[in-house]
Amino acid sequence: MAQPKEIFVRLDRCMGCHSCELACAVEHSQSKSLYSAISEKPTPQSRVYVEWVPPDNRLPVLCRHCEDAPCMHACICGAISRTEEGVVMTNADKCIGCWTCVMVCPYGVIGRHLQEHKAYRCDRCPDLEIPACVNSCPTKALVYRTVDEFSKDVRRVASREMLSGEGG
Amino acid sequence: MANNERRYVIIGASAAGMAAAEAIRQSDSTGFITVLSEEPVQPYFRPMIPFLISGKKSVADMTLVGQGPYSGTGIDVRLNSKAEAIDTKNQTVTVQGGDLVLYDRLLIATGSRPYIPPEIEGTEAAGVFALRTLTDALAAADCAAQADHVVMLGGGLLNLKAAFALLERGLDVTLVVYSPEVLSQLMEPDDAVLIRDALNKAGLKIMTDCSATHILSQAGGVNGVLLNSGQEMFCQMVCIGKGVFPNVNFLEQSDVQVDQGVVVDRFTACNAANVFAAGDVAVTFDPITSDRIVTGLWTNAVEMGRCAGYNMAGRTTEYTGTFGILNATQVADEPFVSMGIVHTSGTDYETHVFSTRNTYRKLVFSEDGERLVGAVFVGDISHAGLYRYVMREKMDVAKIKPFIIKHTLHYGHLLLP
Ligand SMILES: Cc1cc2nc3c(=O)[nH]c(=O)nc-3n(C[C@H](O)[C@H](O)[C@H](O)COP(=O)(O)OP(=O)(O)OC[C@H]3O[C@@H](n4cnc5c(N)ncnc54)[C@H](O)[C@@H]3O)c2cc1C
């Protein structure tokens, strides 16, 4: 099987504009349009969180779909499983809202939908070619790549920075 | 014996046993995996059985195999197969009925069963339940269909879940609690105020600081409970939730070391060769206090079971222990998480408490204030897993302490220095 793509964060790029949060919430609304999504019930929720680290770092945080997903193993009702594409998915129909997953996620990226009494998290936008958050990011802080592609990218950037460092 | 025909035998087909079976299968694609279960039904998610009482879910909704990480591939589960004895010299298990099962690697994952306090008289009457198995829950549901008033003995989480299931069926439910407040194992009375309010509002009647001495019955079954105060309450059903104890009886004649539960080393191995143990039946340890503990946690049973499975298949894996308290749930629309050291009265832990009208939190730090050792969140439990991580990794909290105390910690604080 080809290596699946994942959402990667380039820490140095996020400006904290929150575009990804908006795009995510809209993509996970019924209407998929910002104007109607605002008044929908249950209220559409973003699954990506732009956090601020003082003094001036910002970063989007979202489900890593961990290889050894603690949430999946801890779930007391079998609602969390991994798809063939490697996406760790919460089945809302099965979720009983016991929040065990929230208690064990070391990234803090599992949300609680209070109106629906269900846990939710990034599903990598199964209906889209490129996840909504990635697509909306104006600075390309979020990228959608395979692990190999991403590490190649990182190496390329690093070597470029080294070069420019030497030159400057 | 070549690895490819290794015989793995697991006693107990629940969280620890089935998690181990999957882990073995992941590491050894050809060995034989046999899981012996005393129960007459296919493995299921035990914490879901209260939904059989409320009627909100069916037996099929709780099936374990085919859900979450449980594929069941190449795992032979034998129902109605109670292990009666094990012989660690000849490496055999005697199954009820006389069958002998040979093993190369054995896992004891027999869990625990409800503790029925012997000082309460009359507990064998029809209509008295201690909820542990799916069969118990179905019987309790039948009984509830005929009852108006249920008395629950014990104020722990399990009894609260059962109490809510019964309330949802429209029954009157009275909880008799020996401690001064509900959930005393998981938090201190002051921590439980919001939860208590929510329980009261939901219509649960709670009597604290009292206990039952007799369960009264006639030919037809239970008809009342006599309390230590002398008060008598009429009821048609009683549920006992007074804790659990490990299922180790069948090990009496064996040389497997038992001290409350089955004693294991850091790699989940018993003193007897090729024998492992995991889950509620095993003695584990708390990574913060290093205390040896016996737990009743699904999460731990799975984690320890997986670890045992890897070790049985030859992939050496260290088990890192579990907090004795590691509970998340929602009762009466009030979510809460309790983990680590939370009983702080009379201790020197550095404790920070903050409460509003609808949230409460308590963060407990080591005496020198450098490590987070416990947390209770009520109402708002967001990011609870990060706090667990900080506790478990024994992180130096100097830089993140204000965020912890304010409950604003996020992953960025841990990632970026
Ligand atoms: C109503 C309820 C709600 C709960 N809610 C939660 C929760 O929210 N969170 C949480 O973390 N935990 C919860 N728990 C606790 C959790 O279910 C247990 O900690 C967990 O099931 C332990 O798993 P285990 O595999 O160690 O043992 P068990 O689940 O006890 O399974 C052991 C199995 O072995 C079988 N067995 C015993 N002796 C033998 C023998 N001699 N031969 C063959 N088979 C044998 C038993 O019949 C049983 O099927 C709850 C429990 C209950 C009852």
Side-chain angles (χ1 to χ4, degrees):
Chain A
M1 197 178 70
Q3 199 180 26
K5 290 189 177 185
E6 294 174 33
I7 300 171
F8 290 96
V9 178
R10 294 195 284 196
L11 290 175
D12 49 329
R13 294 210 171 199
C14 178
M15 304 184 305
C17 73
H18 298 266
S19 299
C20 52
E21 292 181 348
L22 205 60
C24 177
V26 170
E27 177 58 24
H28 293 93
S29 68
Q30 279 149 37
S31 61
K32 308 219 173 192
S33 112
L34 175 58
Y35 297 101
S36 359
I38 288 167
S39 53
E40 266 177 35
K41 284 277 171 324
T43 316
Q45 305 285 342
S46 171
R47 291 118 198 266
V48 49
Y49 311 89
V50 177
E51 304 285 15
W52 173 65
V53 188
D56 62 354
N57 284 305
R58 286 157 184 87
L59 86 155
V61 187
L62 73 172
C63 177
R64 307 304 308 144
H65 302 280
C66 306
E67 202 170 299
D68 198 38
C71 57
M72 176 170 78
H73 293 289
C75 179
I76 61 169
C77 63
I80 306 176
S81 52
R82 188 186 297 281
T83 66
E84 275 179 26
E85 293 76 33
V87 177
V88 176
M89 197 190 65
T90 301
N91 177 344
D93 290 338
K94 287 201 80 100
C95 176
I96 57 171
C98 73
W99 318 129
T100 301
C101 52
V102 176
M103 180 177 68
V104 302
C105 173
Y107 295 103
V109 289
I110 302 181
R112 294 182 301 132
H113 202 297
L114 300 180
Q115 291 152 349
E116 298 199 290
H117 191 206
K118 304 277 183 195
Y120 63 87
R121 81 188 47 249
C122 165
D123 57 3
R124 278 201 201 143
C125 294
D127 301 337
L128 300 180
E129 187 100 11
I130 297 171
C133 58
V134 175
N135 219 3
S136 72
C137 181
T139 60
K140 303 275 178 280
L142 290 166
V143 291
Y144 193 48
R145 306 271 159 84
T146 66
V147 175
D148 287 352
E149 284 166 359
F150 186 67
S151 52
K152 248 183 244 152
D153 266 14
V154 172
R155 275 198 300 271
R156 201 176 303 134
V157 172
S159 63
R160 202 186 309 135
E161 276 168 4
M162 235 151 60
L163 282 177
S164 65
E166 276 169 11
Chain B
M1 170 156 308
N3 209 31
N4 61 7
E5 39 198 58
R6 208 179 250 177
R7 291 159 302 187
Y8 300 93
V9 176
I10 297 171
I11 312 177
S14 184
M18 295 306 284
E22 294 290 338
I24 294 170
R25 189 44 86 225
Q26 253 179 44
S27 329
D28 176 349
S29 56
T30 51
F32 300 103
I33 306 175
T34 306
V35 190
L36 304 172
S37 175
E38 180 183 2
E39 295 195 49
V41 289
Q42 288 296 334
Y44 55 91
F45 288 96
R46 186 171 309 290
M48 288 183 81
I49 59 174
F51 291 107
L52 291 173
I53 298 179
S54 64
K56 279 187 163 171
K57 301 224 184 257
S58 68
V59 170
D61 293 332
M62 341 201 143
T63 304
L64 183 129
V65 172
Q67 304 300 328
Y70 305 97
S71 71
T73 312
I75 297 168
D76 178 19
V77 179
R78 298 194 197 159
L79 304 179
N80 298 305
S81 299
K82 180 177 183 179
E84 296 211 299
I86 68 172
D87 175 344
T88 58
K89 303 271 157 0
N90 297 311
Q91 307 212 144
T92 59
V93 179
T94 311
V95 180
Q96 192 167 34
D99 273 2
L100 267 193
V101 180
L102 277 74
Y103 68 81
D104 299 306
R105 295 286 182 279
L106 177 69
L107 178 67
I108 299 167
T110 47
S112 52
R113 63 181 61 228
Y115 173 70
I116 310 293
E119 64 273 17
I120 304 178
E121 284 178 40
T123 50
E124 29 340 283
V128 180
F129 295 89
L131 213 58
R132 182 72 190 181
T133 65
L134 195 147
T135 313
D136 295 336
L138 290 175
D142 275 352
C143 183
Q146 315 294 325
D148 302 315
H149 181 216
V150 187
V151 174
M152 323 271 309
L153 309 180
L157 192 53
L158 206 146
N159 247 14
L160 284 185
K161 287 186 180 181
F164 266 86
L166 290 159
L167 278 179
E168 280 169 12
R169 286 187 72 122
L171 301 186
D172 269 340
V173 184
T174 306
L175 202 68
V176 175
V177 185
Y178 179 74
S179 307
E181 188 50 279
V182 295
L183 296 172
S184 61
Q185 305 276 329
L186 298 187
M187 54 186 77
E188 295 189 300
D190 287 348
D191 307 333
V193 170
L194 286 174
I195 297 172
R196 176 63 183 272
D197 285 351
L199 296 174
N200 290 342
K201 264 195 217 116
L204 188 63
K205 296 189 192 77
I206 302 175
M207 305 172 69
T208 52
D209 296 301
C210 69
S211 60
T213 56
H214 290 73
I215 294 172
L216 311 169
S217 56
Q218 335 162 289
V222 171
N223 63 1
V225 168
L226 181 64
L227 302 181
N228 59 349
S229 59
Q231 186 188 342
E232 213 178 297
M233 278 189 291
F234 294 106
C235 65
Q236 300 79 39
M237 183 172 171
V238 173
C239 290
I240 302 178
K242 290 281 193 183
V244 293
F245 67 97
N247 283 321
V248 290
N249 289 354
F250 72 107
L251 296 172
E252 259 166 29
Q253 307 297 323
S254 78
D255 57 353
V256 171
Q257 191 191 345
V258 173
D259 176 10
Q260 255 194 302
V262 177
V263 177
V264 293
D265 66 13
R266 293 262 162 146
F267 302 92
T268 65
C270 301
N271 59 318
N274 298 325
V275 184
F276 298 75
D280 282 12
V281 76
V283 181
T284 156
F285 68 97
D286 183 310
I288 298 181
T289 60
S290 300
D291 288 346
R292 287 153 43 91
I293 49 172
V294 176
T295 65
L297 295 169
W298 180 271
T299 44
N300 177 60
V302 171
E303 199 171 331
M304 203 173 179
R306 292 179 68 212
C307 185
Y310 290 134
N311 284 314
M312 290 164 75
R315 233 209 259 181
T316 306
T317 308
E318 187 172 352
Y319 169 70
T320 51
T322 179
F323 304 151
I325 297 174
L326 185 60
N327 288 88
T329 203
Q330 177 148 339
V331 283
D333 293 333
E334 199 64 80
F336 72 84
V337 166
S338 180
M339 46 193 181
I341 297 169
V342 296
H343 296 93
T344 52
S345 316
T347 68
D348 292 326
Y349 291 114
E350 182 187 317
T351 304
H352 297 259
V353 171
F354 185 81
S355 67
T356 66
R357 224 154 52 93
N358 42 24
T359 66
Y360 175 92
R361 67 177 180 265
K362 172 156 103 179
L363 283 313
V364 183
F365 296 88
S366 55
E367 289 164 23
D368 60 13
E370 286 174 8
R371 306 267 180 281
L372 181 67
V373 297
V376 178
F377 295 106
V378 183
D380 178 7
I381 63 158
S382 45
H383 293 97
L386 278 168
Y387 297 80
R388 171 178 179 255
Y389 182 73
V390 170
M391 287 162 61
R392 199 174 165 143
E393 299 301 313
K394 300 185 182 156
M395 286 168 73
D396 178 351
V397 295
K399 290 208 180 101
I400 51 176
K401 201 163 173 182
F403 306 114
I404 294 178
I405 293 170
K406 279 188 278 176
H407 190 184
T408 53
L409 188 70
H410 58 67
Y411 181 62
H413 295 130
L414 304 186
L415 183 71
L416 301 173

